[in-house]
Amino acid sequence: MKNPYEVLGLKEGASAEEIKKAYRELVKKYHPDRYRDNPLSDLAEEKLREINEAYDYLMKNINNNQQKQQQQQYQRQQQSQNTGSGYYGGYSANSDYVYQIKMHIQNGNFAQAQRMLDSMPIRDATWNYLQGLLFLRRGWYDRANAHLRRAVEMEPGNVEFREALSRVNTQYNAYRYNPNIYMNSYRGPDMCSVCTTLWCADSLCECFGGDLISCC
């Protein structure tokens, strides 16, 4: 494989935004629509393939590096907390790493939030709380309930955990005992409404000399 930076016309260590910009410009330049009925169409197609491969390779490396940096940041925070205050090895609810997970959940980036949760080796109360929030956003009430209940059991005095557990119980019970609340907007017309509509249509047809339903 050719040097991906050279393929995109970039210097080593270019940022993600620079890579995306160069990629967009090159795709426009070598797009197949510009080379229809052109003897250079095969060369343009080959060039576009190289551009796509280079872009995928660089963006994959950038995403991997970002994830490694997040993990390293978390590890530094853990070491600092462990040496500074006799911290028992759990997660600080106010740490940047936890905040990033919350933002991913809030913004709907569920896959990234799950990857960050999976990289955390300690399953303490904060971890269970975050996992419960993620399942709650996905609508998986049983799993959300289990993790939030575990978080409350591990830290019964945490108001945030207890409020989240109460919220998921309320939503789950509303769905379990009142499923019609979630189904009414999708319910089709009943038989009475169908019959009434057909009768009205038949009457209108007869007024104009027709007959929609011959038996009536």
Side-chain angles (χ1 to χ4, degrees), residues 101-110 113 129-141 143-145 148 167-168 171:
I101 295 175
K102 287 182 177 180
M103 288 297 98
H104 283 308
I105 294 173
Q106 181 177 333
N107 295 330
N109 301 324
F110 300 144
Y129 167 69
L130 294 171
Q131 186 68 78
L133 290 184
L134 176 57
F135 286 151
L136 178 59
R137 281 297 307 276
R138 287 187 163 183
W140 300 348
Y141 297 111
R143 296 184 181 184
N145 180 282
L148 292 174
R167 186 165 63 251
V168 72
Q171 294 183 16

Side-chain angles (χ1 to χ4, degrees), residues 86-161:
Y87 191 67
Y88 74 97
Y91 304 106
S92 169
N94 298 321
S95 70
D96 290 339
Y97 195 82
V98 169
Y99 176 77
Q100 290 173 13
I101 295 175
K102 287 182 177 180
M103 288 297 98
H104 283 308
I105 294 173
Q106 181 177 333
N107 295 330
N109 301 324
F110 300 144
Q112 179 61 21
Q114 189 63 65
R115 282 193 291 268
M116 294 179 69
L117 283 168
D118 291 342
S119 70
M120 298 165 71
I122 302 174
R123 303 300 192 252
D124 67 346
T126 299
W127 184 90
N128 279 283
Y129 167 69
L130 294 171
Q131 186 68 78
L133 290 184
L134 176 57
F135 286 151
L136 178 59
R137 281 297 307 276
R138 287 187 163 183
W140 300 348
Y141 297 111
D142 287 337
R143 296 184 181 184
N145 180 282
H147 283 283
L148 292 174
R149 187 176 298 278
R150 193 171 301 129
V152 171
E153 290 174 353
M154 298 175 76
E155 289 189 22
N158 191 305
V159 176
E160 184 178 8
F161 296 173

Side-chain angles (χ1 to χ4, degrees), residues 1-15:
M1 178 180 177
K2 295 181 180 179
N3 187 314
Y5 289 102
E6 293 181 359
V7 172
L8 298 181
L10 296 170
K11 295 181 179 180
E12 295 275 350
S15 67

Side-chain angles (χ1 to χ4, degrees), residues 1-10 15-27 47-63:
M1 178 180 177
K2 295 181 180 179
N3 187 314
Y5 289 102
E6 293 181 359
V7 172
L8 298 181
L10 296 170
S15 67
E17 291 301 319
E18 291 172 333
I19 293 172
K20 292 178 182 178
K21 181 179 179 180
Y23 173 73
R24 287 192 294 265
E25 292 176 351
L26 289 171
V27 167
K47 182 64 176 179
L48 188 59
R49 187 179 299 110
E50 290 182 357
I51 291 169
N52 286 326
E53 290 178 355
Y55 175 78
D56 291 340
Y57 177 83
L58 291 178
M59 292 306 298
K60 182 178 180 181
N61 283 347
I62 287 178
N63 291 333

